[in-house]
Amino acid sequence: MKIVETIQEVRDQVKEWRKQGLTVGLVPTMGYLHEGHKSLIDCAVAENDRVVVSVFVNPMQFGPKEDLASYPRDLDRDAAVCESAGAALVFHPEPSEMYHDDFSSFVDMSTLTGGLCGKTRPIHFRGVCTVVSKLFNIVVPDKAYFGQKDAQQLAVIRHMVSDLNFGIEIVGCPIVREEDGLAKSSRNTYLSEEERRAALILSQSLKKGKALLETGETDAAKLRAVIANTLATEPLAKVDYVEVVGWDTLEPVESINGPILTAIAVYIGKTRLIDNFIWQKETR
Ligand code: PAF
């Protein structure tokens, strides 16, 4: 497996693979890889001849008060994860390689990005769409892999690919959880022991919500209430949002008929965690 830092090296390598008629998968990440990322790489390795993993903490998607400086980084460990999972290339650019001094073009989406995480992170999806577009243009993969844990991001990327005619298949992969239910996240490393215990309330509240839906409940307000009430039982949890939205529009729904996304964002201490489930009556 190769580790490269420049766009040119990625392009040269992919060109070589294309000459050999090989297919290419891309797994975009910000590094500090965990089992969730590994599941994306595993899926990409199973479906493509060669897999590129990008490891880039993208400054453009962090707000001024967010955790860009403290975001965990460990390239050696990431490279070992990629290699053991069977990736062929790790792309680890410096910010200056991705954004030159007079960089001034952005990919901004006017739907899907205003609600959920977009409310408290107003510039986040512009940064995500811009960097993912750049990665798509650099690697030009056949398929690209994103986790359902960032469900809004997955929906936004799918929409962007359709709007901008990227000829790339977007593959969404299921949330990977710790044994006790906490969704895997690089940000879990910020949690103290007490906060780690408290963070379980996220998956527990969603479980209660799902159980309510299992009874045939179709009132979104009741679903939101059962989740919010469960979260309120944990003193260390401060709710950012509890939302029930259509999975296609990401707009709030009143009654649950088609596929919905139930998504939450909760501060445990200073750490903001997200979790969700997608619900479709026919697949439950
Ligand atoms: O999900 C992430 O880790 C990031 O948002 C992504 C897609 C790698 C873009 O920086």
Side-chain angles (χ1 to χ4, degrees), residues 27-31 33 37 40 54-59 61-62 71 99 121 124-125 127-132 135 145-147 150 153 157 186-187:
V27 182
T29 81
M30 297 208 299
L33 305 181
H37 296 110
L40 302 181
S54 60
V55 174
F56 178 60
V57 182
N58 174 35
Q61 68 191 70
F62 287 78
Y71 197 84
Y99 303 114
R121 307 188 74 191
H124 177 69
F125 289 107
V128 170
C129 287
T130 302
V131 81
V132 170
L135 290 167
Y145 296 78
F146 295 85
D150 296 299
Q153 170 172 280
I157 301 288
S186 306
R187 290 190 169 99

mmCIF file of all heavy atoms in Angstrom, residues 27-31 33 37 40 54-59 61-62 71 99 121 124-125 127-132 135 145-147 150 153 157 186-187, ligand 1:
data_model
loop_
_atom_site.group_PDB
_atom_site.id
_atom_site.type_symbol
_atom_site.label_atom_id
_atom_site.label_comp_id
_atom_site.label_asym_id
_atom_site.label_seq_id
_atom_site.Cartn_x
_atom_site.Cartn_y
_atom_site.Cartn_z
ATOM 1 N N VAL A 27 -12.858 5.838 -0.328
ATOM 2 C CA VAL A 27 -13.434 6.020 1.013
ATOM 3 C C VAL A 27 -12.877 7.327 1.579
ATOM 4 O O VAL A 27 -11.735 7.387 2.027
ATOM 5 C CB VAL A 27 -13.077 4.837 1.947
ATOM 6 C CG1 VAL A 27 -13.743 5.037 3.311
ATOM 7 C CG2 VAL A 27 -13.488 3.501 1.339
ATOM 8 N N PRO A 28 -13.679 8.417 1.525
ATOM 9 C CA PRO A 28 -13.208 9.691 2.080
ATOM 10 C C PRO A 28 -13.332 9.663 3.609
ATOM 11 O O PRO A 28 -14.390 9.309 4.139
ATOM 12 C CB PRO A 28 -14.177 10.727 1.504
ATOM 13 C CG PRO A 28 -14.984 10.019 0.473
ATOM 14 C CD PRO A 28 -14.979 8.588 0.862
ATOM 15 N N THR A 29 -12.258 10.032 4.313
ATOM 16 C CA THR A 29 -12.308 10.071 5.784
ATOM 17 C C THR A 29 -11.526 11.290 6.290
ATOM 18 O O THR A 29 -10.751 11.889 5.553
ATOM 19 C CB THR A 29 -11.664 8.818 6.440
ATOM 20 O OG1 THR A 29 -10.237 8.981 6.470
ATOM 21 C CG2 THR A 29 -12.016 7.536 5.716
ATOM 22 N N MET A 30 -11.730 11.560 7.582
ATOM 23 C CA MET A 30 -10.893 12.563 8.236
ATOM 24 C C MET A 30 -9.910 11.866 9.179
ATOM 25 O O MET A 30 -9.349 12.494 10.075
ATOM 26 C CB MET A 30 -11.755 13.574 8.993
ATOM 27 C CG MET A 30 -12.664 14.350 8.045
ATOM 28 S SD MET A 30 -13.073 15.999 8.633
ATOM 29 C CE MET A 30 -13.911 15.616 10.152
ATOM 30 N N GLY A 31 -9.723 10.579 8.974
ATOM 31 C CA GLY A 31 -8.731 9.843 9.763
ATOM 32 C C GLY A 31 -9.209 9.458 11.139
ATOM 33 O O GLY A 31 -10.394 9.512 11.444
ATOM 34 N N LEU A 33 -9.162 6.439 12.264
ATOM 35 C CA LEU A 33 -10.111 5.436 11.777
ATOM 36 C C LEU A 33 -10.547 4.473 12.882
ATOM 37 O O LEU A 33 -9.736 4.043 13.696
ATOM 38 C CB LEU A 33 -9.471 4.652 10.622
ATOM 39 C CG LEU A 33 -8.945 5.509 9.465
ATOM 40 C CD1 LEU A 33 -8.352 4.622 8.379
ATOM 41 C CD2 LEU A 33 -10.053 6.385 8.887
ATOM 42 N N HIS A 37 -15.201 3.179 9.986
ATOM 43 C CA HIS A 37 -14.443 3.435 8.751
ATOM 44 C C HIS A 37 -14.000 2.108 8.130
ATOM 45 O O HIS A 37 -14.020 1.936 6.919
ATOM 46 C CB HIS A 37 -13.181 4.261 9.043
ATOM 47 C CG HIS A 37 -13.445 5.629 9.572
ATOM 48 N ND1 HIS A 37 -13.165 5.989 10.852
ATOM 49 C CD2 HIS A 37 -13.960 6.737 8.970
ATOM 50 C CE1 HIS A 37 -13.481 7.264 11.044
ATOM 51 N NE2 HIS A 37 -13.971 7.741 9.924
ATOM 52 N N LEU A 40 -16.421 0.568 5.976
ATOM 53 C CA LEU A 40 -16.519 1.214 4.652
ATOM 54 C C LEU A 40 -15.408 0.695 3.737
ATOM 55 O O LEU A 40 -15.625 0.397 2.558
ATOM 56 C CB LEU A 40 -16.384 2.736 4.762
ATOM 57 C CG LEU A 40 -17.362 3.511 5.646
ATOM 58 C CD1 LEU A 40 -17.061 5.004 5.583
ATOM 59 C CD2 LEU A 40 -18.787 3.259 5.218
ATOM 60 N N SER A 54 -8.921 8.451 1.539
ATOM 61 C CA SER A 54 -8.358 9.781 1.796
ATOM 62 C C SER A 54 -8.443 10.050 3.291
ATOM 63 O O SER A 54 -9.449 9.731 3.943
ATOM 64 C CB SER A 54 -9.085 10.857 0.987
ATOM 65 O OG SER A 54 -10.443 10.895 1.333
ATOM 66 N N VAL A 55 -7.356 10.591 3.826
ATOM 67 C CA VAL A 55 -7.285 10.943 5.251
ATOM 68 C C VAL A 55 -6.957 12.430 5.291
ATOM 69 O O VAL A 55 -5.814 12.838 5.064
ATOM 70 C CB VAL A 55 -6.182 10.118 5.962
ATOM 71 C CG1 VAL A 55 -6.020 10.589 7.407
ATOM 72 C CG2 VAL A 55 -6.524 8.627 5.935
ATOM 73 N N PHE A 56 -7.982 13.242 5.512
ATOM 74 C CA PHE A 56 -7.786 14.695 5.451
ATOM 75 C C PHE A 56 -8.770 15.377 6.382
ATOM 76 O O PHE A 56 -9.992 15.288 6.183
ATOM 77 C CB PHE A 56 -7.996 15.194 4.007
ATOM 78 C CG PHE A 56 -7.851 16.676 3.854
ATOM 79 C CD1 PHE A 56 -6.651 17.310 4.173
ATOM 80 C CD2 PHE A 56 -8.905 17.448 3.372
ATOM 81 C CE1 PHE A 56 -6.514 18.696 4.051
ATOM 82 C CE2 PHE A 56 -8.782 18.834 3.239
ATOM 83 C CZ PHE A 56 -7.575 19.444 3.573
ATOM 84 N N VAL A 57 -8.249 16.014 7.428
ATOM 85 C CA VAL A 57 -9.108 16.779 8.336
ATOM 86 C C VAL A 57 -9.371 18.111 7.633
ATOM 87 O O VAL A 57 -8.504 18.986 7.581
ATOM 88 C CB VAL A 57 -8.436 16.975 9.718
ATOM 89 C CG1 VAL A 57 -9.386 17.728 10.651
ATOM 90 C CG2 VAL A 57 -8.077 15.623 10.336
ATOM 91 N N ASN A 58 -10.566 18.209 7.089
ATOM 92 C CA ASN A 58 -10.898 19.295 6.165
ATOM 93 C C ASN A 58 -11.249 20.584 6.912
ATOM 94 O O ASN A 58 -12.352 20.702 7.452
ATOM 95 C CB ASN A 58 -12.092 18.835 5.309
ATOM 96 C CG ASN A 58 -12.635 19.927 4.418
ATOM 97 O OD1 ASN A 58 -11.872 20.754 3.916
ATOM 98 N ND2 ASN A 58 -13.948 19.927 4.214
ATOM 99 N N PRO A 59 -10.348 21.577 6.932
ATOM 100 C CA PRO A 59 -10.623 22.784 7.727
ATOM 101 C C PRO A 59 -11.910 23.472 7.312
ATOM 102 O O PRO A 59 -12.584 24.085 8.147
ATOM 103 C CB PRO A 59 -9.420 23.696 7.431
ATOM 104 C CG PRO A 59 -8.430 22.881 6.691
ATOM 105 C CD PRO A 59 -9.111 21.666 6.150
ATOM 106 N N GLN A 61 -14.835 22.489 6.704
ATOM 107 C CA GLN A 61 -16.131 22.055 7.231
ATOM 108 C C GLN A 61 -16.272 22.277 8.739
ATOM 109 O O GLN A 61 -17.242 21.838 9.338
ATOM 110 C CB GLN A 61 -16.402 20.593 6.853
ATOM 111 C CG GLN A 61 -15.512 19.570 7.525
ATOM 112 C CD GLN A 61 -15.680 18.192 6.897
ATOM 113 O OE1 GLN A 61 -15.280 17.951 5.768
ATOM 114 N NE2 GLN A 61 -16.291 17.276 7.621
ATOM 115 N N PHE A 62 -15.272 22.931 9.344
ATOM 116 C CA PHE A 62 -15.322 23.236 10.780
ATOM 117 C C PHE A 62 -15.670 24.699 10.968
ATOM 118 O O PHE A 62 -15.067 25.572 10.328
ATOM 119 C CB PHE A 62 -13.960 22.985 11.433
ATOM 120 C CG PHE A 62 -13.606 21.522 11.585
ATOM 121 C CD1 PHE A 62 -13.156 20.792 10.497
ATOM 122 C CD2 PHE A 62 -13.721 20.881 12.812
ATOM 123 C CE1 PHE A 62 -12.813 19.450 10.629
ATOM 124 C CE2 PHE A 62 -13.384 19.548 12.959
ATOM 125 C CZ PHE A 62 -12.928 18.822 11.861
ATOM 126 N N TYR A 71 -9.074 17.969 16.784
ATOM 127 C CA TYR A 71 -9.594 16.753 16.147
ATOM 128 C C TYR A 71 -8.493 15.687 16.150
ATOM 129 O O TYR A 71 -7.363 15.965 15.756
ATOM 130 C CB TYR A 71 -10.065 17.047 14.716
ATOM 131 C CG TYR A 71 -10.960 15.950 14.181
ATOM 132 C CD1 TYR A 71 -12.323 15.950 14.462
ATOM 133 C CD2 TYR A 71 -10.433 14.895 13.461
ATOM 134 C CE1 TYR A 71 -13.137 14.925 14.016
ATOM 135 C CE2 TYR A 71 -11.249 13.868 13.014
ATOM 136 C CZ TYR A 71 -12.599 13.891 13.293
ATOM 137 O OH TYR A 71 -13.401 12.862 12.865
ATOM 138 N N TYR A 99 -6.136 23.336 -0.728
ATOM 139 C CA TYR A 99 -6.633 24.714 -0.856
ATOM 140 C C TYR A 99 -5.464 25.663 -1.052
ATOM 141 O O TYR A 99 -4.781 26.009 -0.077
ATOM 142 C CB TYR A 99 -7.416 25.118 0.409
ATOM 143 C CG TYR A 99 -8.578 24.199 0.724
ATOM 144 C CD1 TYR A 99 -8.572 23.405 1.873
ATOM 145 C CD2 TYR A 99 -9.672 24.117 -0.135
ATOM 146 C CE1 TYR A 99 -9.641 22.558 2.162
ATOM 147 C CE2 TYR A 99 -10.735 23.264 0.156
ATOM 148 C CZ TYR A 99 -10.710 22.500 1.295
ATOM 149 O OH TYR A 99 -11.768 21.657 1.579
ATOM 150 N N ARG A 121 -24.500 24.096 12.481
ATOM 151 C CA ARG A 121 -23.211 24.092 11.775
ATOM 152 C C ARG A 121 -23.436 24.673 10.364
ATOM 153 O O ARG A 121 -23.365 23.953 9.359
ATOM 154 C CB ARG A 121 -22.657 22.662 11.693
ATOM 155 C CG ARG A 121 -22.584 21.952 13.035
ATOM 156 C CD ARG A 121 -21.861 20.617 12.931
ATOM 157 N NE ARG A 121 -20.424 20.788 12.787
ATOM 158 C CZ ARG A 121 -19.583 19.805 12.463
ATOM 159 N NH1 ARG A 121 -20.040 18.592 12.210
ATOM 160 N NH2 ARG A 121 -18.293 20.027 12.362
ATOM 161 N N HIS A 124 -20.966 23.950 7.538
ATOM 162 C CA HIS A 124 -20.421 22.593 7.496
ATOM 163 C C HIS A 124 -20.589 21.914 6.131
ATOM 164 O O HIS A 124 -19.627 21.405 5.549
ATOM 165 C CB HIS A 124 -21.107 21.767 8.591
ATOM 166 C CG HIS A 124 -20.697 20.333 8.611
ATOM 167 N ND1 HIS A 124 -19.436 19.923 8.975
ATOM 168 C CD2 HIS A 124 -21.377 19.195 8.295
ATOM 169 C CE1 HIS A 124 -19.351 18.615 8.902
ATOM 170 N NE2 HIS A 124 -20.512 18.143 8.490
ATOM 171 N N PHE A 125 -21.817 21.933 5.591
ATOM 172 C CA PHE A 125 -22.046 21.146 4.375
ATOM 173 C C PHE A 125 -21.422 21.778 3.128
ATOM 174 O O PHE A 125 -21.106 21.089 2.173
ATOM 175 C CB PHE A 125 -23.544 20.854 4.195
ATOM 176 C CG PHE A 125 -24.019 19.851 5.215
ATOM 177 C CD1 PHE A 125 -24.812 20.233 6.276
ATOM 178 C CD2 PHE A 125 -23.600 18.528 5.141
ATOM 179 C CE1 PHE A 125 -25.202 19.308 7.247
ATOM 180 C CE2 PHE A 125 -23.979 17.597 6.103
ATOM 181 C CZ PHE A 125 -24.781 17.987 7.160
ATOM 182 N N GLY A 127 -18.489 23.048 3.240
ATOM 183 C CA GLY A 127 -17.139 22.504 3.340
ATOM 184 C C GLY A 127 -17.073 21.049 2.920
ATOM 185 O O GLY A 127 -16.150 20.633 2.212
ATOM 186 N N VAL A 128 -18.098 20.271 3.332
ATOM 187 C CA VAL A 128 -18.121 18.842 2.971
ATOM 188 C C VAL A 128 -18.289 18.694 1.454
ATOM 189 O O VAL A 128 -17.540 17.952 0.805
ATOM 190 C CB VAL A 128 -19.272 18.104 3.722
ATOM 191 C CG1 VAL A 128 -19.461 16.698 3.166
ATOM 192 C CG2 VAL A 128 -18.981 18.040 5.221
ATOM 193 N N CYS A 129 -19.279 19.407 0.892
ATOM 194 C CA CYS A 129 -19.543 19.273 -0.555
ATOM 195 C C CYS A 129 -18.327 19.718 -1.373
ATOM 196 O O CYS A 129 -17.998 19.109 -2.397
ATOM 197 C CB CYS A 129 -20.759 20.103 -0.962
ATOM 198 S SG CYS A 129 -22.304 19.392 -0.398
ATOM 199 N N THR A 130 -17.677 20.775 -0.911
ATOM 200 C CA THR A 130 -16.523 21.275 -1.661
ATOM 201 C C THR A 130 -15.381 20.256 -1.629
ATOM 202 O O THR A 130 -14.814 19.898 -2.674
ATOM 203 C CB THR A 130 -16.053 22.634 -1.098
ATOM 204 O OG1 THR A 130 -17.150 23.545 -1.162
ATOM 205 C CG2 THR A 130 -14.879 23.198 -1.884
ATOM 206 N N VAL A 131 -15.060 19.751 -0.444
ATOM 207 C CA VAL A 131 -13.914 18.830 -0.372
ATOM 208 C C VAL A 131 -14.235 17.496 -1.052
ATOM 209 O O VAL A 131 -13.382 16.913 -1.732
ATOM 210 C CB VAL A 131 -13.428 18.627 1.082
ATOM 211 C CG1 VAL A 131 -14.270 17.623 1.845
ATOM 212 C CG2 VAL A 131 -11.974 18.182 1.103
ATOM 213 N N VAL A 132 -15.492 17.033 -0.916
ATOM 214 C CA VAL A 132 -15.832 15.746 -1.539
ATOM 215 C C VAL A 132 -15.821 15.895 -3.074
ATOM 216 O O VAL A 132 -15.351 15.005 -3.786
ATOM 217 C CB VAL A 132 -17.182 15.211 -0.998
ATOM 218 C CG1 VAL A 132 -17.663 14.015 -1.805
ATOM 219 C CG2 VAL A 132 -17.040 14.816 0.475
ATOM 220 N N LEU A 135 -12.250 15.703 -4.040
ATOM 221 C CA LEU A 135 -11.754 14.319 -3.975
ATOM 222 C C LEU A 135 -12.291 13.502 -5.162
ATOM 223 O O LEU A 135 -11.567 12.688 -5.745
ATOM 224 C CB LEU A 135 -12.154 13.673 -2.648
ATOM 225 C CG LEU A 135 -11.425 14.235 -1.420
ATOM 226 C CD1 LEU A 135 -12.095 13.764 -0.129
ATOM 227 C CD2 LEU A 135 -9.946 13.845 -1.422
ATOM 228 N N TYR A 145 -17.814 5.604 -0.784
ATOM 229 C CA TYR A 145 -18.470 4.972 0.367
ATOM 230 C C TYR A 145 -18.608 5.947 1.535
ATOM 231 O O TYR A 145 -17.633 6.585 1.934
ATOM 232 C CB TYR A 145 -17.650 3.738 0.793
ATOM 233 C CG TYR A 145 -17.640 2.693 -0.302
ATOM 234 C CD1 TYR A 145 -16.803 2.846 -1.414
ATOM 235 C CD2 TYR A 145 -18.508 1.617 -0.277
ATOM 236 C CE1 TYR A 145 -16.832 1.935 -2.457
ATOM 237 C CE2 TYR A 145 -18.541 0.696 -1.311
ATOM 238 C CZ TYR A 145 -17.704 0.860 -2.394
ATOM 239 O OH TYR A 145 -17.741 -0.043 -3.434
ATOM 240 N N PHE A 146 -19.835 6.043 2.078
ATOM 241 C CA PHE A 146 -20.113 6.949 3.186
ATOM 242 C C PHE A 146 -20.962 6.216 4.228
ATOM 243 O O PHE A 146 -21.806 5.382 3.872
ATOM 244 C CB PHE A 146 -20.882 8.185 2.695
ATOM 245 C CG PHE A 146 -20.076 9.033 1.745
ATOM 246 C CD1 PHE A 146 -20.044 8.741 0.391
ATOM 247 C CD2 PHE A 146 -19.316 10.098 2.218
ATOM 248 C CE1 PHE A 146 -19.282 9.500 -0.490
ATOM 249 C CE2 PHE A 146 -18.559 10.877 1.343
ATOM 250 C CZ PHE A 146 -18.534 10.575 -0.005
ATOM 251 N N GLY A 147 -20.739 6.550 5.511
ATOM 252 C CA GLY A 147 -21.470 5.878 6.578
ATOM 253 C C GLY A 147 -22.830 6.517 6.812
ATOM 254 O O GLY A 147 -22.992 7.732 6.685
ATOM 255 N N ASP A 150 -23.564 9.535 9.512
ATOM 256 C CA ASP A 150 -23.742 10.915 9.060
ATOM 257 C C ASP A 150 -24.813 10.901 7.974
ATOM 258 O O ASP A 150 -24.531 11.101 6.792
ATOM 259 C CB ASP A 150 -22.422 11.470 8.511
ATOM 260 C CG ASP A 150 -21.372 11.554 9.598
ATOM 261 O OD1 ASP A 150 -21.587 12.277 10.570
ATOM 262 O OD2 ASP A 150 -20.337 10.862 9.489
ATOM 263 N N GLN A 153 -25.267 13.927 5.761
ATOM 264 C CA GLN A 153 -24.147 14.020 4.808
ATOM 265 C C GLN A 153 -24.358 13.054 3.637
ATOM 266 O O GLN A 153 -24.144 13.410 2.474
ATOM 267 C CB GLN A 153 -22.843 13.700 5.538
ATOM 268 C CG GLN A 153 -21.638 13.527 4.612
ATOM 269 C CD GLN A 153 -20.340 13.413 5.390
ATOM 270 O OE1 GLN A 153 -19.793 14.413 5.812
ATOM 271 N NE2 GLN A 153 -19.834 12.204 5.552
ATOM 272 N N ILE A 157 -24.601 14.259 -0.167
ATOM 273 C CA ILE A 157 -23.649 13.809 -1.199
ATOM 274 C C ILE A 157 -24.393 13.156 -2.368
ATOM 275 O O ILE A 157 -24.080 13.412 -3.538
ATOM 276 C CB ILE A 157 -22.618 12.798 -0.604
ATOM 277 C CG1 ILE A 157 -21.824 13.424 0.543
ATOM 278 C CG2 ILE A 157 -21.708 12.232 -1.685
ATOM 279 C CD1 ILE A 157 -20.808 14.448 0.169
ATOM 280 N N SER A 186 -15.051 9.034 15.839
ATOM 281 C CA SER A 186 -13.720 9.497 16.261
ATOM 282 C C SER A 186 -13.861 10.400 17.481
ATOM 283 O O SER A 186 -12.960 10.484 18.305
ATOM 284 C CB SER A 186 -13.040 10.265 15.129
ATOM 285 O OG SER A 186 -13.021 9.475 13.968
ATOM 286 N N ARG A 187 -14.999 11.093 17.602
ATOM 287 C CA ARG A 187 -15.187 12.031 18.716
ATOM 288 C C ARG A 187 -15.457 11.316 20.043
ATOM 289 O O ARG A 187 -15.397 11.953 21.090
ATOM 290 C CB ARG A 187 -16.307 13.028 18.394
ATOM 291 C CG ARG A 187 -15.903 14.017 17.306
ATOM 292 C CD ARG A 187 -16.889 15.156 17.135
ATOM 293 N NE ARG A 187 -16.345 16.196 16.285
ATOM 294 C CZ ARG A 187 -16.619 16.350 14.993
ATOM 295 N NH1 ARG A 187 -17.438 15.520 14.377
ATOM 296 N NH2 ARG A 187 -16.057 17.332 14.297
HETATM 297 O O1 PAF B 1 -17.481 12.131 7.098
HETATM 298 C C1 PAF B 1 -16.349 12.643 7.106
HETATM 299 O O2 PAF B 1 -15.419 12.139 7.729
HETATM 300 C C2 PAF B 1 -16.096 13.935 6.332
HETATM 301 O O3 PAF B 1 -17.199 14.776 6.403
HETATM 302 C C3 PAF B 1 -15.682 13.685 4.867
HETATM 303 C C4 PAF B 1 -16.804 13.029 4.068
HETATM 304 C C5 PAF B 1 -14.444 12.819 4.819
HETATM 305 C C6 PAF B 1 -15.363 15.020 4.183
HETATM 306 O O4 PAF B 1 -14.344 15.682 4.825
#
